[in-house]
């Protein structure tokens, strides 16, 4: 790897830049401003660079490194050595000061700085403070979510590899999605059950998680995401990138975190399970691509430059385009053989832009915003046409089947992460919106990253089949459609000793508009 890092200089090498200089260039916006702000960054090379981290050293590769299922690793001596190397690497990173860009806390701050670290943040060189500006950090609720986190995990993995001293270290993934036998937090993250004895243990997790309570099948479901055939929003459909972020990504964060680390983006990456969770999300993206699905091809999207820190403390950069194929560019694949062969990941038609899809028709909408509560709220959506009979929402004809009915929750706003998973029901009678009754249950959502400024956060659910079943069963015969949103039952009601956030006060969270579209 080419680098301007001076090994004789203590601490991370940071390009010189004044606050005034940065603010002047920031007015240019986006990647251009960042490019001017960080002229010393160098293109990243696959596999790792110097410093005993191993790797291919540059050019293209063929996915020689393999990320494995942590449950499978735990069954062999060689696999357990990989898990132990992760524990060793995390412990070594935790021993480094916040000002070291390869330290545990600094790497976690790239996701979002933790307010409790304010004093250490204030002591950072101004260049590092500017780097940790939240506008440059983790990407959520947009098409950059998947590629940005792929890069984030990739460089973290290289840092752990060097810190652990294991030259062939690869991060495992936690496959909570495919096997009911693997839905409990992996043993290495639970035992020994003290942070002093186990760098992978965190006490700040939801009740039951550290005692081995398995995640439920609804929380880990990927059916909504894999039903998406387009990467970006298309017509009424949200697209794979958005759907996989909503579920299982957000749901797992909040389910694991409770009132602890994983349910807040400012603390999530401080829990070592964060990185295995995101390895699994990355694996699911590779699996979706392996089904012949194409990624977004918009030129501005693919050309955007992102900057991270490598294992030697160098500031490095990659474009979104460079991480669309993990095998040829990043030199890794997953052990379940779902990844496309080298060089076969494709984009949509060149210069096609972000798919716009078919025109969208609004079928019903709410009158205004609503504030969610612990007791639950019901939002009535009225058909936009006077003759709002059941046929308006049916998907019986071939034309209707090609245009699903989608329930949208638009402009969801909150300042503080509510650390709560919400259940959504359709046309449920009084008292029936519970226990995920299939006659009324729509799905789950878990607000995770607070929107800022003009940013928006929306959720979308395909309710075509549900409404058709309700029409056939006589539950819905036309007119208004009621949408019920209730917090998931506290863990006590699910047989787990709990308390805390799911039973306490709910931070203010509003839904600006509820609608059904086709």
């Amino acid at each position: 790897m080419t680098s301007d890092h001076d090994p004789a200089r203590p601490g991370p090498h940071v390009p010189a830049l004044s606050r005034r200089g940065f603010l002047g260039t920031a007015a240019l916006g986006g990647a251009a401003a960042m490019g001017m702000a960080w002229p010393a960054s160098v293109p990243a090379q696959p596999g790792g660079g110097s410093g005993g981290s191993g790797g291919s050293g540059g050019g293209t590769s063929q996915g020689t490194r393999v990320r494995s299922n942590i449950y499978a690793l735990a069954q062999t001596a060689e696999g357990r050595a990989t898990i132990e190397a992760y524990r060793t690497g995390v412990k070594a990173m935790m021993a480094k000061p916040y000002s070291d860009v390869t330290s545990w806390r600094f790497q976690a701050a790239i996701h979002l700085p933790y307010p409790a670290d304010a004093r250490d943040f204030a002591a950072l060189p101004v260049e590092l403070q500017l780097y940790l500006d939240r506008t440059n950090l983790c990407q959520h609720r947009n098409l950059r979510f998947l590629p940005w986190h792929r890069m984030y995990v990739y460089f973290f993995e290289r840092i752990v590899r060097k810190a652990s001293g294991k030259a062939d270290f690869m991060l495992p993934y936690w496959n909570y999605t495919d096997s009911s036998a693997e839905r409990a937090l992996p043993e290495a993250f639970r035992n020994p059950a003290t942070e002093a004895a186990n760098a992978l243990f965190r006490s700040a997790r939801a009740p039951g998680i550290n005692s081995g309570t398995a995640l439920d099948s609804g929380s880990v479901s990927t059916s909504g995401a894999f039903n998406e055939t387009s990467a970006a929003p298309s017509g009424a459909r949200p697209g794979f990138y958005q759907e996989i972020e909503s579920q299982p990504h957000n749901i797992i964060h909040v389910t694991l975190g409770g009132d602890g680390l994983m349910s807040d983006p400012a603390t999530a990456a401080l829990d070592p399970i964060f990185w295995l969770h995101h390895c699994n999300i990355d694996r699911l993206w590779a699996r979706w691509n392996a089904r012949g699905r194409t990624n977004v091809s918009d030129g501005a999207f693919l050309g955007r430059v992102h900057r991270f820190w490598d294992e030697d403390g160098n500031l490095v950069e990659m474009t979104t385009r460079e991480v669309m194929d993990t095998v040829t560019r990043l030199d890794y694949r997953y052990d379940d053989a779902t990844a496309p062969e080298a060089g076969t990941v494709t984009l949509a038609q060149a210069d096609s832009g972000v798919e716009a899809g078919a025109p969208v028709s609004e079928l019903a909408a709410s009158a205004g915003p609503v504030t969610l509560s612990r007791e639950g709220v019901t939002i009535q959506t009225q058909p936009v046409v006077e003759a709002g009979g059941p046929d308006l929402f049916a998907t019986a004809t071939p034309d209707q089947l090609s245009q699903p009915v989608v329930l949208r929750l638009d402009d969801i706003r909150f300042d503080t992460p509510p650390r709560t998973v919400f259940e959504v029901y359709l046309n449920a009678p009084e008292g029936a919106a519970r226990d995920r009754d299939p006659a009324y249950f729509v799905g789950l959502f878990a607000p995770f990253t607070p929107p800022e400024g003009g940013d928006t956060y929306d959720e979308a659910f395909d309710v075509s089949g549900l409404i058709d079943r309700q029409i056939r069963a006589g539950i819905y015969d036309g007119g208004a459609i009621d949408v019920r949103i209730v917090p998931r039952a506290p863990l006590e009601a699910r047989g787990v000793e709990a308390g805390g956030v799911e039973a306490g006060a709910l931070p203010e969270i509003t839904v600006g508009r509820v609608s059904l579209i086709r």
Side-chain angles (χ1 to χ4, degrees):
M1 170 184 293
T2 58
S3 168
D4 64 344
H5 180 59
D6 178 2
R9 180 177 178 176
H13 177 58
V14 182
L17 178 72
S18 70
R19 183 181 298 272
R20 178 178 297 176
F22 179 87
L23 294 176
T25 58
L28 298 175
M34 284 300 293
M36 294 178 69
W38 300 105
S41 59
V42 296
Q45 302 297 333
S50 60
S53 58
S56 58
T60 58
S61 53
Q62 297 297 317
T64 55
R65 296 185 180 274
V66 179
R67 288 181 180 169
S68 300
N69 182 334
I70 190 168
Y71 269 82
L73 289 176
Q75 303 307 309
T76 69
E78 183 180 357
R80 288 191 292 272
T82 294
I83 298 172
E84 190 57 36
Y86 185 39
R87 196 190 322 268
T88 299
V90 170
K91 185 176 181 179
M93 291 174 67
M94 290 174 63
K96 296 180 179 181
Y98 186 75
S99 57
D100 187 325
V101 296
T102 66
S103 70
W104 183 253
R105 288 193 298 149
F106 189 92
Q107 284 295 305
I110 293 175
H111 198 253
L112 200 65
Y114 183 27
D117 286 329
R119 180 175 297 180
D120 287 332
F121 179 89
L124 289 175
V126 65
E127 293 86 354
L128 291 183
Q129 292 186 36
L130 294 170
Y131 174 82
L132 291 177
D133 183 273
R134 63 189 306 143
T135 60
N136 303 324
L137 302 180
C138 72
Q139 300 294 312
H140 288 275
R141 300 183 309 279
N142 61 53
L143 296 178
R144 295 186 294 275
F145 166 72
L146 286 174
W148 186 92
H149 282 84
R150 175 171 282 177
M151 296 181 216
Y152 185 33
V153 172
Y154 169 72
F155 285 108
F156 172 83
E157 179 178 64
R158 286 169 52 164
I159 290 170
V160 174
R161 186 178 303 143
K162 181 174 181 179
S164 71
K166 185 174 172 57
D168 61 351
F169 173 80
M170 293 294 288
L171 272 169
Y173 63 90
W174 177 19
N175 186 11
Y176 46 73
T177 45
D178 297 338
S179 171
S180 59
E182 298 178 5
R183 289 182 185 153
L185 187 71
E187 179 75 16
F189 293 78
R190 295 186 277 123
N191 291 304
T194 68
E195 295 181 24
N198 183 3
L200 303 183
F201 180 82
R202 294 293 183 273
S203 58
R205 292 174 180 146
I209 296 300
N210 280 332
S211 60
T213 299
L215 302 174
D216 67 273
S217 59
S219 295
V220 303
S221 174
T222 60
S223 59
F226 278 87
N227 284 338
E228 297 296 323
T229 58
S230 171
S234 180
R237 304 201 68 95
F240 177 80
Y241 286 21
Q242 177 179 323
E243 192 67 20
I244 199 74
E245 180 179 2
S246 293
Q247 187 171 8
H249 171 265
N250 286 359
I251 306 294
I252 297 300
H253 264 289
V254 175
T255 300
L256 294 179
D259 56 1
L261 298 174
M262 278 285 280
S263 53
D264 186 333
T267 56
L270 290 167
D271 190 330
I273 199 61
F274 169 95
W275 305 93
L276 276 68
H277 170 41
H278 271 278
C279 272
N280 196 46
I281 297 298
D282 186 69
R283 181 185 69 93
L284 294 171
W285 180 17
R287 173 178 288 183
W288 185 78
N289 280 147
R291 294 187 175 186
R293 307 303 190 196
T294 57
N295 289 314
V296 177
S297 66
D298 179 73
F301 166 77
L302 293 172
R304 186 179 175 110
V305 175
H306 302 274
R307 291 168 175 83
F308 294 90
W309 302 89
D310 72 7
E311 64 275 25
D312 297 321
N314 299 315
L315 187 66
V316 291
E317 63 182 33
M318 297 188 92
T319 64
T320 302
R321 184 186 299 275
E322 292 176 294
V323 300
M324 287 297 171
D325 183 344
T326 70
V327 175
T328 56
R329 178 60 180 150
L330 302 180
D331 191 25
Y332 75 83
R333 63 172 68 244
Y334 289 92
D335 65 350
D336 59 357
T338 59
E341 292 303 311
T344 62
V345 174
T346 57
L347 304 175
Q349 278 191 339
D351 302 319
S352 66
V354 175
E355 297 93 326
V360 172
S361 299
E362 187 171 82
L363 307 179
S366 62
V370 63
T371 300
L372 303 188
S373 73
R374 287 275 176 229
E375 293 71 37
V377 296
T378 299
I379 306 103
Q380 189 173 84
T381 66
Q382 293 287 351
V384 296
V385 296
E386 222 173 293
D391 288 347
L392 181 65
F393 303 94
T395 51
T397 69
D399 284 346
Q400 290 172 333
L401 287 170
S402 66
Q403 294 181 304
V405 177
V406 174
L407 171 66
R408 288 190 58 88
L409 311 180
D410 288 319
D411 195 22
I412 303 172
R413 294 197 172 272
F414 54 99
D415 294 326
T416 302
R419 303 172 180 270
T420 300
V421 177
F422 292 91
E423 298 176 346
V424 183
Y425 295 85
L426 216 61
N427 296 321
E430 185 70 29
R434 63 174 183 270
D435 301 327
R436 303 183 192 176
D437 186 332
Y440 313 106
F441 180 62
V442 172
L444 305 171
F445 73 99
F448 181 56
T449 307
E452 292 188 328
D455 190 12
T456 60
Y457 163 46
D458 315 306
E459 292 283 354
F461 305 89
D462 185 340
V463 294
S464 305
L466 176 59
I467 293 181
D468 282 343
R469 292 194 301 274
Q470 290 188 347
I471 292 172
R472 290 195 297 269
I475 294 172
Y476 177 68
D477 61 0
I481 287 184
D482 290 337
V483 178
R484 179 78 175 165
I485 302 175
V486 297
R488 184 169 61 182
L491 287 167
E492 293 99 330
R494 290 181 269 146
V496 179
E497 184 178 348
V501 64
E502 287 190 309
L506 185 69
E508 181 169 319
I509 174 170
T510 61
V511 179
R513 196 165 189 268
V514 178
S515 63
L516 289 103
I517 62 175
R518 187 195 287 280

